[in-house]
Amino acid sequence: MIRAMNCTKCKTKAALKLPRHHAAFCKNCFNSFVHDQVHKAIRSQKMFEKTDRLLVAVSGGKDSLALWDILLKLGYKTDGLYVNLGIGGYSESSREKVVHFSETVAAGYGAVLHVHTVDREEGAGIRELAIIVNRPTCSTCGTIKRYQFNHAAIRHGYDVMATGHNLDDEAARLLGNVLHWQAEYLEKQGPSLPASVDGFAKKVKPLYRLTERELAAYCVLNKIDYVVEECPMAQGARTLLYKEVLNRLETESPGTKQMFYWGFLEKSGTTETPTSIAEKDRSSLHPCSNCGQPTTAETCSYCKLMARAKTSTLL
Ligand code: AMP
Ligand code: FES
Ligand code: ZN
């Protein structure tokens, strides 16, 4: 936040400075800027149309709550999905923020909130499940969330599943994939993945043109109450390190993050990539022998995880 600076567009007092765009905005012009960036993302990556039914995964954090708010305001039919991971007070306060937003804002647009509660449906919270199957908490969590996001979208007949990944998230992931030359992951780094085979929902990231800082500012300016604390299980230290490195570069040279990620999208032609992903998926994926969700193995990783958990005496 800054003092004594005027909005680049309307010349009233600015609320926020955006060095990467050589601009400063008042609240109204900042909201227009944010909506405009999301609109550009939706159009340029052919994410969805006004007639589509969208499901947004809302964690209670700033990004996904901002995304739900923006999509509703832009006139998209968007319901929410909260996955309660059962991580003590953290999951409880996340749930409260999501329910509060759903009741006070989303309901006014006729939107509904779906809640999936892991300890009720999977038999134990994420931390306990990870111990039972002897795997790191974050990867157990990732397997369950990915599965349940897709499952909910398919079960309730949504056309598209959206998540709140922002420019910082995508640039950090790209940096990691480039440093290790993870070619197969690079192919799937675009913000729009097709519903390549039956049983897979289309997945999109409409916030890839906005930074963490801009989304936090959007929530504060629009009085969207979100969970500030990070998950106590903490995401991989590597991702945090990549974000730190990119932030240093961004401070020295505003615009670096967007140049890196948007440049990658331009050079790799992601609007064409979904077609090749769809072709590859069609030849390598088939229904899981247990649940029917597409997988490259005989049984999907979610069903394997749950089978392992159920054979344990603890569940
Ligand atoms: P993260 O991997 O925690 O950075 O989250 C990335 C995105 O996944 C968020 O912006 C949300 O859209 C979604 N997400 C993460 N955790 C949850 C959750 N517990 N329930 C619903 N959506 C979630
Ligand atoms: Fe999944 Fe923290 S372990 S969000
Ligand atoms: Zn399965």
Side-chain angles (χ1 to χ4, degrees):
M1 302 282 161
I2 50 156
R3 250 184 255 146
M5 187 148 202
N6 288 338
C7 173
T8 313
K9 272 194 178 167
C10 73
K11 311 298 174 206
T12 59
K13 194 173 159 219
L16 186 90
K17 193 177 164 190
L18 293 187
R20 74 186 174 109
H21 287 286
H22 310 289
F25 292 124
C26 67
K27 179 185 164 184
N28 284 344
C29 294
F30 178 66
N31 280 343
S32 304
F33 160 81
V34 168
H35 290 182
D36 196 41
Q37 291 301 318
V38 174
H39 191 234
K40 270 189 187 142
I42 295 168
R43 239 189 8 222
S44 68
Q45 299 290 324
K46 303 185 176 80
M47 291 184 176
F48 41 78
E49 306 287 336
K50 283 270 160 72
T51 47
D52 287 328
R53 285 182 71 229
L54 318 180
L55 182 64
V56 59
V58 270
S59 64
K62 60 186 182 329
D63 307 309
S64 48
L65 281 175
L67 177 59
W68 200 5
D69 186 76
I70 297 162
L71 292 176
L72 290 171
K73 285 183 177 150
L74 288 177
Y76 290 99
K77 290 177 276 183
T78 318
D79 291 336
L81 167 69
Y82 171 64
V83 176
N84 188 333
L85 302 164
I87 308 177
Y90 169 73
S91 289
E92 196 38 40
S93 49
S94 306
R95 193 190 64 82
E96 279 168 20
K97 306 288 180 197
V98 175
V99 169
H100 178 76
F101 181 86
S102 167
E103 288 173 352
T104 56
V105 180
Y109 291 86
V112 298
L113 173 68
H114 302 276
V115 176
H116 176 91
T117 306
V118 172
D119 57 14
R120 200 168 55 218
E121 307 293 332
E122 272 84 7
I126 288 289
R127 274 184 302 202
E128 296 75 19
L129 277 173
I131 294 168
I132 294 167
V133 298
N134 193 23
R135 269 183 49 189
T137 314
C138 286
S139 76
T140 308
C141 176
T143 301
I144 290 181
K145 278 196 298 203
R146 264 193 308 279
Y147 183 88
Q148 293 302 346
F149 289 176
N150 189 65
H151 183 69
I154 297 292
R155 188 159 80 96
H156 299 291
Y158 289 96
D159 300 296
V160 183
M161 173 82 230
T163 51
H165 294 91
N166 58 40
L167 178 57
D168 295 62
D169 295 325
E170 295 311 289
R173 194 152 82 96
L174 177 61
L175 182 58
N177 287 337
V178 167
L179 288 175
H180 300 98
W181 287 120
Q182 307 261 37
E184 73 281 25
Y185 291 145
L186 281 172
E187 270 181 9
K188 297 201 170 181
Q189 267 254 219
S192 179
L193 289 178
S196 50
V197 290
D198 271 358
F200 262 168
K202 179 170 184 175
K203 315 235 167 40
V204 297
K205 298 173 181 172
L207 299 183
Y208 80 88
R209 300 179 65 90
L210 292 159
T211 64
E212 248 168 52
R213 177 177 166 266
E214 288 155 7
L215 290 158
Y218 182 85
C219 286
V220 172
L221 290 172
N222 293 285
K223 301 192 170 38
I224 297 172
D225 192 15
Y226 63 90
V227 182
V228 178
E229 63 178 298
E230 293 287 335
C231 168
M233 301 292 107
Q235 41 173 306
R238 278 241 181 97
T239 311
L240 293 179
L241 176 62
Y242 296 151
K243 282 190 177 175
E244 256 176 64
V245 169
L246 288 164
N247 279 335
R248 274 222 43 208
L249 291 168
E250 184 76 23
T251 308
E252 292 295 320
S253 176
T256 302
K257 270 181 231 169
Q258 72 185 47
M259 217 155 53
F260 181 51
Y261 185 59
W262 301 1
F264 164 78
L265 295 182
E266 259 170 47
K267 305 263 182 240
S268 61
T270 50
T271 37
E272 286 145 40
T273 313
T275 323
S276 67
I277 290 176
E279 277 161 14
K280 271 192 201 152
D281 278 0
R282 275 194 284 274
S283 62
S284 63
L285 295 173
H286 52 82
C288 164
S289 58
N290 184 50
C291 71
Q293 201 170 109
T295 175
T296 49
E298 169 72 16
T299 313
C300 76
S301 49
Y302 172 84
C303 287
K304 273 189 205 138
L305 193 144
M306 292 317 299
R308 225 169 128 183
K310 288 205 173 96
T311 53
S312 149
T313 52
L314 289 165
L315 265 195

